[in-house]
Amino acid sequence: MGTVRAVVVLVHAGVAALWLGSMAYSLFVVQPKLARMVDAPPAEEPQRVEDAQRILAHGNRWPVTGLIGVLWVTGLALALLAQERSATGWTVLAVKAALLAGASGLFWWVSWRGWPRRVFALPAELPGLQRRFRLVALTMCGLVGAAYALGVTAGH
C-alpha cells in the first residue's frame, strides 16, 4: 500500500470511527442520563429534557457535516487510488456508498427538518418527536456502523 493511500485510509477510518463513536456515546450514555439529570415534575420533564438536548446539540451541525464531507472525499479518493478492484470489491464499495448516503440523508433530515420541528413543537408534541429522533439516530448509527464494519472487513 502506498503512503498516500495509507494516509487516506487512516483519515477515512479515523473520521468514520469518530462519527460512529460520537453517535454511540450520545445515544447510549448521554441521552439516557439526561432524563435522570433533569429535576422536574413529570409534566415538565419532556420540555426540560428537550432544553438540555438543545444545549448539547447547539453548534454540532457543521462539524458533523464536515465529517460527512471528509468521508465522501476520502472514500472517493480510495476508490480512485485502487489498483484493481474485483466485482466483489465494486459491490462492497457500492454498498458502503449506499450506507453512507442513507446516513447522510438522515443527518440532513435531522439537521434541517427535524430540529426546526422540535424547536417550535408544543410541549405535548415533544415525547413523540423525541422518540422519532431516537429511532432516526439509532438507524443512522446502524448505517454508519455497518459501513465501518464492511470497510474494515473488506480491507482484510
Side-chain angles (χ1 to χ4, degrees):
M1 178 184 316
T3 304
V4 172
R5 187 169 188 283
V7 169
V8 175
V9 166
L10 288 173
V11 170
H12 187 76
V15 168
L18 180 61
W19 191 22
L20 179 60
S22 298
M23 284 190 291
Y25 181 71
S26 176
L27 278 166
F28 303 113
V29 177
V30 175
Q31 291 179 24
K33 288 186 178 186
L34 277 179
R36 292 193 304 262
M37 290 174 56
V38 170
D39 185 25
E44 296 175 19
E45 186 176 308
Q47 183 62 50
R48 296 285 300 273
V49 169
E50 186 67 18
D51 292 343
Q53 287 178 339
R54 201 173 293 127
I55 290 167
L56 286 173
H58 181 72
N60 292 338
R61 175 185 299 161
W62 293 112
V64 176
T65 300
L67 291 175
I68 294 168
V70 169
L71 284 175
W72 280 108
V73 169
T74 55
L76 179 61
L78 289 171
L80 295 174
L81 289 170
Q83 302 291 336
E84 291 181 21
R85 193 176 302 273
S86 66
T88 302
W90 285 110
T91 302
V92 167
L93 184 65
V95 170
K96 280 186 62 180
L99 292 168
L100 182 56
S104 299
L106 289 175
F107 181 76
W108 176 88
W109 179 87
V110 164
S111 295
W112 283 275
R113 294 288 187 213
W115 269 111
R117 285 183 187 156
R118 283 178 78 160
V119 168
F120 296 107
L122 298 172
E125 298 171 319
L126 287 176
L129 287 170
Q130 289 167 348
R131 282 190 302 277
R132 184 173 184 190
F133 261 68
R134 182 149 181 89
L135 178 61
V136 168
L138 287 167
T139 303
M140 193 169 27
C141 192
L143 292 170
V144 173
Y148 187 81
L150 187 59
V152 169
T153 304
H156 291 293

